[in-house]
Amino acid sequence: MRRWWTAVAVGATVAALAGCGAPGGVDGDLVDDWKGMAAPAPFVPAVGTCHPAVQEVGYLSAYNPVDCGTSHRVETIHVGTVTGAAADRSTPPAAGSAGIKAVRAECDREVNKAVGADWRSGRLFLSTVFPSRQAWKGGARWFRCDLNEVESVDDSSVVPRTASLKGALSGNSPLAHRCFQPKIKNSTVDEMTAVPCTRKHRAEFVGVYQAPDVAFNQIDNNRLRIHRGCRSLIASYVKVPNNGDLEYRAGTIFYHAFEAAWTDGNRGVQCFLWVDRDLTRSLKGAGTKGLPIR
């Protein structure tokens, strides 16, 4: 993107003031009292701004922030700076690189603080936005941590909002994952429908497990490890022993990131307990009576 700079010629009228400047009251040096113009700095987006559309690349021409109290689709929660070897590149950090993983980790940390919990524990989606290649060549090294509300745990369609997402997962948040009625076919979860925990359901969100740092095509080979990680979260959530009997108390359902986000460092796996009977209450803190061996 080209940036156009306009030079403004300023015509000055010099008044004769007795006793000032050069003899006769006229300062003969027309520039000694003028401050030098600051060097032009690359554009940096503002934190806490909302936007009418999701951006994959931070083109300046598409930067059109709106009031977060009006309809919008995404909110910039944090703006950081690319540093180290990644900043010396001729283009923004490459997919799967150490640089983009560092950016992703910073976004996760800052967004989690802003919303009050791990963002993956609710109907939210986090994306990272870098400057255009042209802006990067011009010295821009910023990145945006953009957050938006989505339809459901298995539908990432963007939901328009008229309020900020700061504190969105604090307290009794309507965005937080709780109880679900899964639609299971041939041992595969086709759909997870969110329902109040007082209605019949068979699954409940228990937390986010940080999966091992393996390639995306190795997830299948690590499924048992991920299921064990989710079972540990079930034990902590329900307050039951984390031992060999746990797999006879509940099954596990998990959701992981799509390949692009996984490759860039999103290893946060959403974990759910699953039982083969109808529940009409949350199992949080229910203990062995609430989740007996079956």
Side-chain angles (χ1 to χ4, degrees), residues 80-155:
T81 303
V82 178
T83 60
D88 296 331
R89 288 172 44 87
S90 59
T91 58
S97 65
I100 203 165
K101 288 180 179 179
V103 165
R104 184 84 207 189
E106 184 172 331
C107 282
D108 282 343
R109 182 176 66 251
E110 296 302 320
V111 168
N112 290 350
K113 288 194 297 186
V115 301
D118 191 307
W119 64 269
R120 286 156 289 217
S121 62
R123 291 189 294 106
L124 300 174
F125 183 80
L126 170 62
S127 57
T128 54
V129 180
F130 292 96
S132 66
R133 286 175 177 254
Q134 294 90 335
W136 185 275
K137 287 181 180 178
R141 291 297 183 269
W142 55 264
F143 62 87
R144 280 168 37 185
C145 308
D146 281 5
L147 193 67
N148 58 268
E149 179 181 342
V150 297
E151 286 285 353
S152 66
V153 69
D154 48 13
D155 182 354

Side-chain angles (χ1 to χ4, degrees), residues 175-216:
L175 295 180
H177 292 320
R178 292 188 177 85
C179 297
F180 295 82
Q181 188 61 282
K183 182 180 179 181
I184 300 176
K185 184 178 181 180
N186 297 327
S187 299
T188 300
V189 179
D190 285 346
E191 186 179 359
M192 290 274 276
T193 302
V195 298
C197 291
T198 52
R199 283 178 50 188
K200 288 182 179 181
H201 61 276
R202 295 193 173 195
E204 185 169 357
F205 178 76
V206 296
V208 178
Y209 166 66
Q210 291 299 314
D213 189 12
V214 298
F216 186 81

Side-chain angles (χ1 to χ4, degrees), residues 11-17 20-22 24-30 34:
T13 300
V14 181
L17 300 176
C20 296
V26 177
D27 187 347
D29 188 344
L30 296 180
W34 290 76

Side-chain angles (χ1 to χ4, degrees), residues 29-286:
D29 188 344
L30 296 180
V31 297
D32 64 349
D33 293 329
W34 290 76
K35 293 182 179 179
M37 294 185 67
F43 162 80
V44 177
V47 178
T49 53
C50 292
H51 310 274
V54 176
Q55 281 186 275
E56 293 185 359
V57 178
Y59 292 108
L60 182 58
S61 58
Y63 187 72
N64 183 31
V66 298
D67 189 301
C68 291
T70 63
S71 182
H72 61 274
R73 293 177 178 270
V74 67
E75 181 175 355
T76 298
I77 300 293
H78 176 71
V79 175
T81 303
V82 178
T83 60
D88 296 331
R89 288 172 44 87
S90 59
T91 58
S97 65
I100 203 165
K101 288 180 179 179
V103 165
R104 184 84 207 189
E106 184 172 331
C107 282
D108 282 343
R109 182 176 66 251
E110 296 302 320
V111 168
N112 290 350
K113 288 194 297 186
V115 301
D118 191 307
W119 64 269
R120 286 156 289 217
S121 62
R123 291 189 294 106
L124 300 174
F125 183 80
L126 170 62
S127 57
T128 54
V129 180
F130 292 96
S132 66
R133 286 175 177 254
Q134 294 90 335
W136 185 275
K137 287 181 180 178
R141 291 297 183 269
W142 55 264
F143 62 87
R144 280 168 37 185
C145 308
D146 281 5
L147 193 67
N148 58 268
E149 179 181 342
V150 297
E151 286 285 353
S152 66
V153 69
D154 48 13
D155 182 354
S156 58
S157 300
V158 178
V159 177
R161 291 180 56 83
T162 54
S164 171
L165 283 167
K166 292 178 181 177
L169 295 180
S170 300
N172 190 28
S173 169
L175 295 180
H177 292 320
R178 292 188 177 85
C179 297
F180 295 82
Q181 188 61 282
K183 182 180 179 181
I184 300 176
K185 184 178 181 180
N186 297 327
S187 299
T188 300
V189 179
D190 285 346
E191 186 179 359
M192 290 274 276
T193 302
V195 298
C197 291
T198 52
R199 283 178 50 188
K200 288 182 179 181
H201 61 276
R202 295 193 173 195
E204 185 169 357
F205 178 76
V206 296
V208 178
Y209 166 66
Q210 291 299 314
D213 189 12
V214 298
F216 186 81
N217 61 8
Q218 292 299 308
I219 291 177
D220 279 344
N221 295 337
N222 285 271
R223 284 190 179 276
L224 289 179
R225 184 175 176 182
I226 295 174
H227 279 298
R228 286 196 297 269
C230 287
R231 283 200 292 269
S232 295
L233 293 179
I234 292 173
S236 177
Y237 184 84
V238 184
K239 306 300 181 189
V240 296
N242 186 9
N243 56 26
D245 291 335
L246 187 53
E247 61 184 297
Y248 302 108
R249 296 182 187 274
T252 52
I253 296 171
F254 69 81
Y255 281 71
H256 58 73
F258 288 113
E259 184 171 6
W262 180 277
T263 300
D264 288 347
N266 181 5
R267 299 293 189 272
V269 174
Q270 297 164 315
C271 295
F272 304 79
L273 67 80
W274 174 81
V275 294
D276 60 356
R277 65 189 187 280
D278 290 333
L279 302 171
T280 54
R281 57 157 291 188
S282 169
L283 289 180
K284 185 174 183 178

